[in-house]
Amino acid sequence: MTAFAETVQLTGPLATLEPLAPDHATDLGRAAADGELWKIWYTTVPTPEEMAAEIGRRLSLQAEGSMAPWAIRDTRTGRLVGMTTYCNISPENLRVEIGYTWMAASAHGTGVNPDAKRLLLERAFDVLGCNAVYFHTHWHNHQSRASIARLGAKQDGVLRSYQVYKGTVRDTVTFSILNNEWPAVRLGLDARVAQHVG
């Protein structure tokens, strides 16, 4: 397994990213039930009953070296609130994608997401030496598109008819942050996190 697929605990004032493990299943099932996230048609979130299998799938991909999965914990409350990953890992090209991320509805707007992204970007650029970090989302997922743009990522384009998804053809919007953009992005994320601390 390359360093790109390894998971270590990453801790910020609002978010703690823990290496994903099978014993997270029950608490992550409760998090997914907060807002019944699996009912959103343009995204894929496991039901509580599917959570253990989804954790197993992500850990299998990690063993193959193509994914680094974390559970997201709210640092202040200690509650597990979601999952995130590095995916489409390409060590030879010094790039990762941040994706397969979801969070409990009650965690939205709390600062946990920007703090989690700050931790992942810091590891990607400052530890792994990435040239670029990518984000992909469904064309119809306007909330995700706005959230990615607020991070400081730039939209690269729309990959039309990119994949068959839940019986429909999905257009995928792709964003990126380059290593020379990271210092400014970090300042923006630090400011957003600071608004929720104190």
Side-chain angles (χ1 to χ4, degrees):
M1 182 189 305
T2 71
F4 281 58
E6 291 175 359
T7 47
V8 296
Q9 181 163 309
L10 305 171
T11 304
L14 307 177
T16 298
L17 304 184
E18 298 179 1
L20 187 64
D23 63 4
H24 288 135
T26 299
D27 287 342
L28 287 173
R30 278 195 283 270
D34 179 352
E36 297 184 319
L37 303 177
W38 60 87
K39 293 184 177 180
I40 302 171
W41 72 270
Y42 50 72
T43 190
T44 301
V45 177
T47 66
E49 296 75 24
E50 297 166 336
M51 194 62 66
E54 175 59 14
I55 290 172
R57 184 186 77 83
R58 294 186 186 207
L59 293 176
S60 293
L61 291 171
Q62 182 179 27
E64 295 169 7
S66 63
M67 181 177 279
W70 283 272
I72 305 170
R73 190 178 294 277
D74 185 320
T75 303
R76 295 159 298 181
T77 66
R79 186 170 58 99
L80 282 176
V81 295
M83 301 164 78
T84 192
T85 76
Y86 288 155
C87 54
N88 295 319
I89 290 171
S90 183
E92 65 276 17
N93 292 303
L94 296 175
R95 72 166 187 257
V96 296
E97 179 185 332
I98 294 174
Y100 297 100
T101 302
W102 59 266
M103 290 197 335
S106 63
H108 295 185
T110 64
V112 171
N113 183 55
D115 197 22
K117 294 298 193 297
R118 186 182 60 82
L119 293 167
L120 290 171
L121 289 165
E122 183 176 60
R123 177 168 172 78
F125 289 118
D126 297 346
V127 178
L128 300 176
C130 286
N131 290 323
V133 174
Y134 289 87
F135 303 83
H136 288 163
T137 192
H138 198 297
W139 170 263
H140 288 284
N141 193 342
H142 297 287
Q143 180 180 354
S144 177
R145 289 166 60 184
S147 178
I148 293 167
R150 276 196 307 276
L151 296 174
K154 293 185 173 65
Q155 183 175 316
D156 295 314
V158 181
L159 306 172
R160 300 189 48 160
S161 296
Y162 186 65
Q163 67 188 109
V164 176
Y165 182 81
K166 293 186 176 181
T168 65
V169 178
R170 165 178 154 157
D171 292 345
T172 293
V173 187
T174 180
F175 295 80
S176 64
I177 298 171
L178 305 183
N179 57 358
N180 65 312
E181 298 167 341
W182 167 230
V185 169
R186 185 207 298 266
L187 287 173
L189 289 171
D190 285 347
R192 289 179 62 191
V193 169
Q195 292 174 353
H196 294 274
V197 177

